[in-house]
Amino acid sequence: MTNLPAARKRIDPLLLLENWFGSGVRLIGQTLILLVLTVKYILRGEIDWKEVWRQCYIIGVNSFVVVGLTAVFTGFAMSLQIARELVLFGADTAIGGVVSLALVREIGPITAGVMVAGRVGSAIAAELTTMMITEQIDALTVMRIDPVQFLVVPRYLAAMFMMPALSVYAMFIGLLAGIQIAHTAANLPPETFMDSVKQTILDRDFTVHFSKSWINATLVIMLSCAIGLHTRGGAEDVGIATTRSIVWTMTMIFVFNYIVTSLTYAPR
Amino acid sequence: MNRTKASDDAAPPGPMIEVIDLRKSFNGREVLRGVSFKVWPREMLGIIGPSGCGKSTILKHLCGLLTPDSGQIIKRSDEVGLVFQGSALLNSLTVRENLALPLRHRKLSRAEQDRIIREKLELVGLAEYIDAYPTQLSGGQQKRTGFARAIVNDPKIILYDEPTTGLDPVMSTIIEDYMIELEHKLGAASIVVTHQPSTWSRTADRVLLVFGGRVVWEGNPDEALKSDDPYMRQFAHATREGPMEAGKV
Ligand SMILES: Nc1ncnc2c1ncn2[C@@H]1O[C@H](COP(=O)(O)OP(=O)(O)OP(=O)(O)O)[C@@H](O)[C@H]1O
Ligand SMILES: [Mg+2]
């Protein structure tokens, strides 16, 4: 293949677009197949629970601090804006309701999803890519152990447990931040804030909250595992796979977040 | 020869592995162009040839990591142990957990599983490292752990990909001795792929020289060193003059 370097130097925009588009379509296909295989193993009950708990611990430890920090500052900034506007209209008592709506429906799941994508998804993509390159996945296959059952199933189940926990936690921290801001900036007592929350939040908001967390868990684990299990090459490909997983999971989290929102809350 | 050795085994006579006209292309380039050979029980087959001629590709077909474009692979046992060139130990697991992987399919008690793992680790002199992680081992120790993992199930087929490349001469000899010992102890059919003349000449009962995607020479190691076949002579004496051009496979 002596003509390879010369071919690489020529930049053909159509070819670039085709490669870019083709690899995206391929990844979506690989992700869907991986999801089907994973669900099949889970339904068959072929689950290594010890490994599931270990992964829960890894996902939790990696994420609680960053999710908490992100949620508290998002909560501060958002509540400040909301409080400022509502005070102008004399609607101080509605601050709690508006802040909590935003937290339950949007900010909680998004914050947890994005942070888990950044910390856990990228780590999984890097780990699995390294395992591919160093033939650890081949070794599993030779030992007749399915990499999907061995590696993907425990990570997926762990994320399905931990993501809702992290979303609820983000919502809760954000709410505390909101109470604090409402109290200092708008002089609103916490009880008034909480009354407004209770009047505004419906069961449906929690259904949406949990649906979004489970969708986010699926996106993070399936995309990063699919990227990891289909990358070949050398050490530099670990970095490429990591970046690719972050870009894809974060983008897809925002896309699916909007899809769920538009399906449930669009004005009719 | 080995055929007579095989006949005193309880298993029915016949090859453990038979490869018939194996062909494989990668990205339109034909790497294997019709490779055929047999390996008998209690026989060690050496596969040698220039870098990139497809030796690892042959082994990967034998353990199911690759599927042939055409040709046939007949194995008399599904228990295949592959010693990877790079050890391929799972870094997130300890030595013990790595060795337990091939045992997962057998419903063994914990004690029984532990006994087998200890026995194999003792065979490669690593019993005290049972709870270490692969990154805490030296390269040679990792290679020996890879050995132990490949044989923990007493496979009837053992494949070695460059088991001694990059090791010091003493360690190479130790590994070669293990290989010979295992061949006799387990009654296995083995294939060793190697660039080290000392390894194939000491361990192999029969040697194949692969070039241009085909087997160009076959014989026992003594014949290999004395052969006046142009390919084998060039390879055995490491000369530049001959039918194999540098870099061409
Ligand atoms: N998965 C793959 N995709 C594309 N090409 C491959 C793949 N695996 C092997 N090849 C090509 O097949 C050829 C043979 O590779 P192989 O690894 O079998 O060589 P080898 O004889 O083991 O060499 P070495 O002695 O250097 O280990 C090489 O040219 C390699 O580029
Ligand atoms: Mg090789």
Side-chain angles (χ1 to χ4, degrees), chain B residues 50-57 59-60 85 161-162 193 195:
Chain B
S51 177
C53 72
K55 305 181 296 295
S56 299
T57 305
L59 293 192
K60 285 186 180 159
Q85 181 176 7
D161 199 349
E162 315 267 12
V193 163
H195 285 306

Side-chain angles (χ1 to χ4, degrees), chain B residues 16-242:
Chain B
M16 280 299 274
I17 305 170
E18 188 166 3
V19 174
I20 304 164
D21 201 29
L22 173 61
R23 285 166 188 275
K24 183 73 177 177
S25 301
F26 290 114
N27 313 319
R29 202 167 55 87
E30 200 166 31
V31 173
L32 301 177
R33 305 165 187 236
V35 171
S36 305
F37 60 84
K38 293 175 185 169
V39 192
W40 301 82
R42 280 167 210 260
E43 186 188 26
M44 176 106 55
L45 178 73
I47 298 182
I48 59 175
S51 177
C53 72
K55 305 181 296 295
S56 299
T57 305
I58 294 175
L59 293 192
K60 285 186 180 159
H61 279 92
L62 289 174
C63 57
L65 288 174
L66 291 173
T67 41
D69 291 346
S70 73
Q72 250 187 307
I73 292 166
I74 303 161
K75 291 182 291 182
R76 213 155 33 125
S77 169
D78 283 335
E79 299 282 353
V80 180
L82 173 63
V83 178
F84 284 83
Q85 181 176 7
S87 303
L89 300 173
L90 273 85
N91 278 332
S92 58
L93 304 181
T94 64
V95 168
R96 183 204 305 270
E97 289 163 339
N98 265 285
L99 265 69
L101 290 175
L103 299 172
R104 283 177 144 228
H105 302 291
R106 288 160 60 180
K107 303 267 173 280
L108 297 172
S109 71
R110 241 196 115 76
E112 178 69 359
Q113 178 172 312
D114 241 44
R115 191 188 60 72
I116 296 174
I117 290 172
R118 272 184 196 286
E119 181 194 308
K120 301 299 177 190
L121 279 178
E122 258 151 39
L123 192 72
V124 296
L126 287 173
E128 60 186 298
Y129 290 93
I130 188 161
D131 289 318
Y133 282 90
T135 46
Q136 298 168 326
L137 303 178
S138 77
Q141 289 170 331
Q142 288 181 14
K143 207 152 243 183
R144 283 187 279 158
T145 309
F147 256 66
R149 187 179 68 181
I151 56 147
V152 76
N153 244 344
D154 292 347
K156 290 289 178 218
I157 296 172
I158 313 179
L159 312 173
Y160 302 94
D161 199 349
E162 315 267 12
T164 54
T165 306
L167 295 185
D168 67 71
V170 177
M171 183 55 79
S172 296
T173 305
I174 293 173
I175 296 262
E176 287 157 10
D177 288 343
Y178 284 142
M179 290 163 60
I180 297 166
E181 195 182 316
L182 291 175
E183 182 192 348
H184 294 293
K185 218 178 134 195
L186 304 177
S190 340
I191 299 181
V192 55
V193 163
T194 181
H195 285 306
Q196 300 255 93
S198 61
T199 301
W200 58 261
S201 62
R202 281 196 66 212
T203 59
D205 300 303
R206 197 154 50 90
V207 175
L208 302 184
L209 174 61
V210 176
F211 182 73
R214 292 191 182 85
V215 177
V216 293
W217 189 89
E218 180 175 351
N220 71 38
D222 295 336
E223 289 165 8
L225 296 169
K226 284 180 248 145
S227 169
D228 49 14
D229 174 83
Y231 290 103
M232 193 60 234
R233 196 179 47 210
Q234 185 189 0
F235 208 73
H237 299 285
T239 55
R240 295 176 61 142
E241 291 75 33

Side-chain angles (χ1 to χ4, degrees), chain A residues 78-105:
Chain A
M78 185 184 69
S79 310
L80 201 62
Q81 298 282 10
I82 290 172
R84 201 180 122 101
E85 296 302 314
L86 291 185
V87 165
L88 280 182
F89 291 102
D92 326 26
T93 49
I95 295 176
V98 178
V99 167
S100 60
L101 273 188
L103 283 169
V104 179
R105 294 177 181 176

Side-chain angles (χ1 to χ4, degrees), chain A residues 3 10-11 28 45 62 80-81 86-88 95 107 111 127 135 140 146 156 158 174 179 229-230 251 255 265 267:
Chain A
N3 59 351
R10 211 183 63 232
I11 294 171
I28 292 170
N62 265 344
L80 201 62
Q81 298 282 10
L86 291 185
V87 165
L88 280 182
I95 295 176
I107 308 293
T111 308
E127 186 187 4
E135 296 183 310
L140 286 174
D146 184 351
Y156 184 54
I179 290 173
L229 291 177
H230 289 95
T251 311
V255 170
Y265 297 111

